[in-house]
Amino acid sequence: MQDTDFISSFAKGLKVIEAFDEARPRLSISDVAKTTGLDRATARRCLLTLSELGYADYDGKFFALTPKILRLGHAYLAATPLPALVQPTLDQLSERTAQSASVSVLDGTDIVYIARAAQKRVMSINLTPGSRLPAYCASMGRVLLAALPEDEARAVLNRSDLKANTPRTLTAPDEIIAELWRVRAQGYALIDQELEPGLCSIAVPLENDRGRIIAALNIGAPAASVPAAELVERYLPILREAQVALKQVLR
Amino acid sequence: MQDTDFISSFAKGLKVIEAFDEARPRLSISDVAKTTGLDRATARRCLLTLSELGYADYDGKFFALTPKILRLGHAYLAATPLPALVQPTLDQLSERTAQSASVSVLDGTDIVYIARAAQKRVMSINLTPGSRLPAYCASMGRVLLAALPEDEARAVLNRSDLKANTPRTLTAPDEIIAELWRVRAQGYALIDQELEPGLCSIAVPLENDRGRIIAALNIGAPAASVPAAELVERYLPILREAQVALKQVLR
């Protein structure tokens, strides 16, 4: 077997795992072939391998992932010190503000939640470590995009599906780039119902002890209880404290 | 390429991902070969594939997983309706009791957390969806083992590393089996500092609408504030309510 065969079969297998999601929890061989663009025979081999190894269940027609799959994602969460380092700060933030506090990192065009301390759920989706949101319209995404050189940020926007989730969502790349300059200058990003109606949030970058931005920290609040205009006054000072405290901790 | 080659390279790749954990966040090719039992050339191919696909970073010597890995574990969490269905109940439970509430499922000899609502951290480890604990000494593990036929439960115990985490931990298979009979009869499991000193918990099984036990639900509390003897009186009625409410929801 050649290196290229090896790489390609491993890559295809990983692609098949990613074919399962909220909208597609149970998939047939043809479903997977269609979603991944793999041919039927390859999709079948990948699915049977997953089933053989206990990562998927098969009822003769449909495949569904098993909890064993969580070992893979958990390998990252367990192996990276960031979630454990920030969790106590998030718990405090969430308790002090009675809102949800989260930390995320950039992965392609998405932000990925790596730690979260949640109060009552205000979003329509349930966010947990591993959850993803599009970067262009999320406060942590704006902070992380603002940390990139402009051409890289623009390249991410070009690859993004810039949808108007609400009438307020910025979708024109030039407008978003202008907003990123503002975010960089003021040191925080404010989102007023661009991701979903009724949800506001404010985010700051997290630097490690060498001054490199490695993650973003935010507080999200229902617009009905805390209008976006008040987020800065209420929460920015607390976020700044957390930012300074975490800078000592993050290496 | 044969089916067996395919299956074997995909399987090896997944094994390499699982080689990374809290104690081993950065691994060289030799480290991975040692941990997984794969030969050096295969370990190298798997690692370079992960790096090529963006699932790992490579600094020329060490590999580390990237947040992209979370897509894999998240595929399960997003694809299974259970976490989203139980989260509102967990949030309520945690708020009413001011303790942490969790739901987990059995995977081999471990329980895997799939949802959690946490109050201040009482355990030495940070539990998030995807976290694993040995089933034999955890309250949710006892409930899930008690749901198995005795020979299957015994087979899981035989494959388990039955360690005395504390002087109170049951480690003799026959004693644990006897405890499982008690759990089955009383409908709940109580753990008094068998997993770690200072931590108590009480768990009940969650049935779907056809009466099949599909998960376990628990409340954990610091022994210093709630002695194990009081867990039943304080929390069992609330857990029972949640159990009944969730039975309507879980299909």
Side-chain angles (χ1 to χ4, degrees):
Chain A
M1 189 168 47
Q2 299 296 305
D3 261 30
T4 48
D5 287 342
F6 185 91
I7 292 184
S8 122
S9 47
F10 185 20
K12 285 169 187 166
L14 295 174
K15 207 166 172 186
V16 166
I17 296 176
E18 291 189 17
F20 292 84
D21 66 16
E22 206 156 358
R24 293 166 300 202
R26 298 170 71 243
L27 296 173
S28 67
I29 292 168
S30 331
D31 294 336
V32 167
K34 214 161 102 184
T35 310
T36 58
L38 300 173
D39 62 62
R40 240 188 91 86
T42 306
R44 185 178 157 277
R45 285 194 293 184
C46 290
L47 287 165
L48 291 176
T49 303
L50 286 172
S51 164
E52 178 77 24
L53 298 172
Y55 291 102
D57 276 335
Y58 180 41
D59 67 6
K61 172 139 210 258
F62 291 104
F63 292 83
L65 300 176
T66 69
K68 188 175 176 185
I69 276 291
L70 285 172
R71 294 189 194 181
L72 304 173
H74 195 65
Y76 167 78
L77 285 177
T80 183
L82 195 53
L85 290 174
V86 300
Q87 192 65 49
T89 306
L90 288 185
D91 292 344
Q92 280 170 20
L93 268 179
S94 178
E95 206 169 318
R96 274 180 74 179
T97 61
Q99 305 293 356
S100 298
S102 309
V103 166
S104 70
V105 295
L106 197 64
D107 174 28
T109 62
D110 290 340
I111 57 167
V112 185
Y113 280 72
I114 59 158
R116 181 166 164 89
Q119 296 293 323
K120 283 206 186 118
R121 212 208 289 185
V122 292
M123 286 195 62
S124 60
I125 60 163
N126 185 23
L127 295 170
T128 58
S131 294
R132 312 175 77 82
L133 289 176
Y136 75 98
C137 60
S139 63
M140 292 188 283
R142 293 265 170 89
V143 156
L144 293 167
L145 291 175
L148 299 176
E150 187 179 326
D151 56 339
E152 284 182 35
R154 205 175 274 276
V156 172
L157 294 178
N158 287 342
R159 293 198 311 274
S160 299
D161 178 21
L162 303 171
K163 280 186 308 190
N165 304 302
T166 78
R168 293 168 181 269
T169 317
L170 296 185
T171 56
D174 285 336
E175 280 182 349
I176 301 174
I177 292 285
E179 181 60 25
L180 296 182
W181 280 100
R182 196 168 311 129
V183 167
R184 202 176 292 126
Q186 69 195 13
Y188 65 86
L190 199 63
I191 286 280
D192 182 8
Q193 308 178 68
E194 290 188 50
L195 185 62
E196 67 172 57
L199 184 76
C200 297
S201 68
I202 179 167
V204 297
L206 292 182
E207 292 183 350
N208 65 10
D209 60 349
R210 282 165 303 173
R212 211 186 118 215
I213 294 174
I214 54 166
L217 165 70
N218 91 338
I219 290 177
S225 71
V226 191
E230 287 181 27
L231 283 178
V232 176
E233 195 188 332
R234 281 215 215 172
Y235 301 135
L236 187 59
I238 317 183
L239 284 171
R240 292 263 192 247
E241 276 176 44
Q243 199 181 24
V244 171
L246 285 171
K247 188 165 174 164
Q248 317 304 317
V249 174
L250 303 176
R251 275 153 212 287
Chain B
M1 188 170 44
Q2 299 297 303
D3 261 30
T4 48
D5 287 342
F6 185 92
I7 293 185
S8 122
S9 47
F10 185 19
K12 284 169 187 164
L14 295 173
K15 207 166 172 185
V16 166
I17 296 176
E18 290 188 15
F20 292 84
D21 66 17
E22 204 156 357
R24 293 165 301 203
R26 296 171 71 244
L27 296 173
S28 67
I29 292 168
S30 331
D31 294 336
V32 168
K34 213 161 103 186
T35 309
T36 58
L38 299 172
D39 62 63
R40 238 188 93 87
T42 306
R44 184 177 159 277
R45 286 193 294 183
C46 291
L47 287 166
L48 291 177
T49 304
L50 286 172
S51 164
E52 176 78 23
L53 298 171
Y55 291 100
D57 277 336
Y58 180 39
D59 66 7
K61 173 137 210 261
F62 291 104
F63 292 83
L65 299 177
T66 69
K68 188 176 178 184
I69 277 290
L70 285 174
R71 295 188 194 184
L72 304 174
H74 194 65
Y76 167 78
L77 285 178
T80 183
L82 196 53
L85 290 174
V86 299
Q87 192 66 48
T89 305
L90 288 184
D91 292 344
Q92 280 170 21
L93 268 179
S94 178
E95 205 169 319
R96 275 180 73 180
T97 61
Q99 305 292 356
S100 299
S102 310
V103 166
S104 69
V105 295
L106 197 63
D107 175 27
T109 62
D110 290 341
I111 56 168
V112 185
Y113 281 72
I114 58 158
R116 181 166 164 87
Q119 296 292 322
K120 282 203 188 126
R121 212 205 291 185
V122 292
M123 286 196 61
S124 60
I125 59 164
N126 184 23
L127 295 170
T128 59
S131 294
R132 313 176 77 81
L133 290 175
Y136 76 97
C137 59
S139 62
M140 292 188 283
R142 294 266 170 89
V143 156
L144 294 167
L145 291 175
L148 299 177
E150 187 181 325
D151 56 338
E152 286 182 33
R154 204 175 274 276
V156 172
L157 295 177
N158 287 342
R159 292 198 311 273
S160 299
D161 177 20
L162 303 171
K163 281 187 304 191
N165 304 303
T166 78
R168 292 168 181 268
T169 316
L170 295 185
T171 56
D174 285 336
E175 279 181 350
I176 301 175
I177 292 285
E179 180 60 24
L180 296 183
W181 281 100
R182 197 169 308 128
V183 167
R184 202 176 292 127
Q186 69 195 12
Y188 65 86
L190 199 63
I191 287 279
D192 182 8
Q193 308 177 68
E194 291 188 49
L195 185 62
E196 66 173 57
L199 183 75
C200 297
S201 69
I202 178 166
V204 296
L206 292 182
E207 293 183 348
N208 64 11
D209 61 348
R210 283 165 303 172
R212 213 186 116 215
I213 294 174
I214 54 167
L217 165 70
N218 91 338
I219 290 176
S225 71
V226 190
E230 287 181 28
L231 283 179
V232 175
E233 195 187 333
R234 280 216 217 173
Y235 301 135
L236 188 59
I238 317 182
L239 284 171
R240 292 264 193 245
E241 274 176 46
Q243 199 181 24
V244 171
L246 285 172
K247 188 165 173 166
Q248 317 304 316
V249 174
L250 304 177
R251 275 154 211 288

